Amino acid sequence: WVCVLAVEALSWTMGWLVLRLRFGHLSVAAFWSRQAGSLLMLIFFAAVGSQARIADLLSRSPALVAFVGVCLLVHSSLLLLLVRIVNPWLRRCSRLGPISLDEALVASNANVGGAATAAAFAGATLKRPDLVLPATFSGVFGYGVGTSVGLVIGQWLR
């Protein structure tokens, strides 16, 4: 309850501050709303993570933990390898430029963890507010594609 009350008080305070600021200070409001959003997401993740019991997970399903670890290791290895292979081509042929490590990590996070964790990772961990919107978009796009593919495969396996 304390965490819920703290989040509620913080969101009301931020709303009140945004309403009281003049439009000339909109950049200040945008900055503080980004900071508050990142803080609230981190509080949410901490509340969800505090319910996890790692010892129970390891004792009940060590094979699942090993499988997920292997999947994440293969995913991150392939991601970094592909970025290393594609970047020289992007430097020569593309006006967009090469893919930075931050961009690759945020894309990976959106793929594995979804929109919320990718946005929190980009904004709070990497301090890259320019990557929050692409992280959210790619995570939500992944939800749509994953749900559609999952429904098709489910119908096919029936």
Side-chain angles (χ1 to χ4, degrees):
W1 288 101
V2 173
C3 185
V4 171
L5 290 176
V7 167
E8 201 60 36
L10 185 62
S11 63
W12 276 97
T13 305
M14 290 307 299
W16 179 80
L17 285 173
V18 168
L19 286 176
R20 295 292 178 236
L21 291 174
R22 293 188 170 85
F23 285 108
H25 294 57
L26 198 55
S27 63
V28 173
F31 170 78
W32 285 108
S33 63
R34 256 191 249 116
Q35 298 299 322
S38 294
L39 176 68
L40 292 174
M41 280 194 285
L42 291 175
I43 289 172
F44 170 74
F45 294 138
V48 170
S50 68
Q51 301 297 317
R53 295 187 183 135
I54 303 299
D56 287 349
L57 179 67
L58 292 174
S59 66
R60 291 183 184 173
S61 56
L64 179 65
V65 173
F67 175 73
V68 170
V70 168
C71 286
L72 289 174
L73 182 68
V74 168
H75 168 81
S76 58
S77 300
L78 284 176
L79 176 85
L80 294 175
L81 179 70
L82 286 173
V83 166
R84 194 163 183 78
I85 290 170
V86 169
N87 266 346
W89 178 80
L90 287 175
R91 281 190 190 96
R92 282 180 287 155
C93 303
S94 175
R95 293 188 333 199
L96 298 175
I99 300 170
S100 70
L101 181 62
D102 288 350
E103 293 166 344
L105 291 175
V106 168
S108 171
N109 195 327
N111 181 26
V112 173
T117 58
F121 179 68
T125 305
L126 294 179
K127 307 282 191 253
R128 292 280 308 265
D130 59 314
L131 293 179
V132 172
L133 186 60
T136 306
F137 175 77
S138 61
V140 170
F141 184 73
Y143 292 154
V145 170
T147 300
S148 302
V149 170
L151 288 173
V152 168
I153 290 175
Q155 288 297 320
W156 180 65
L157 290 175
R158 203 180 257 210

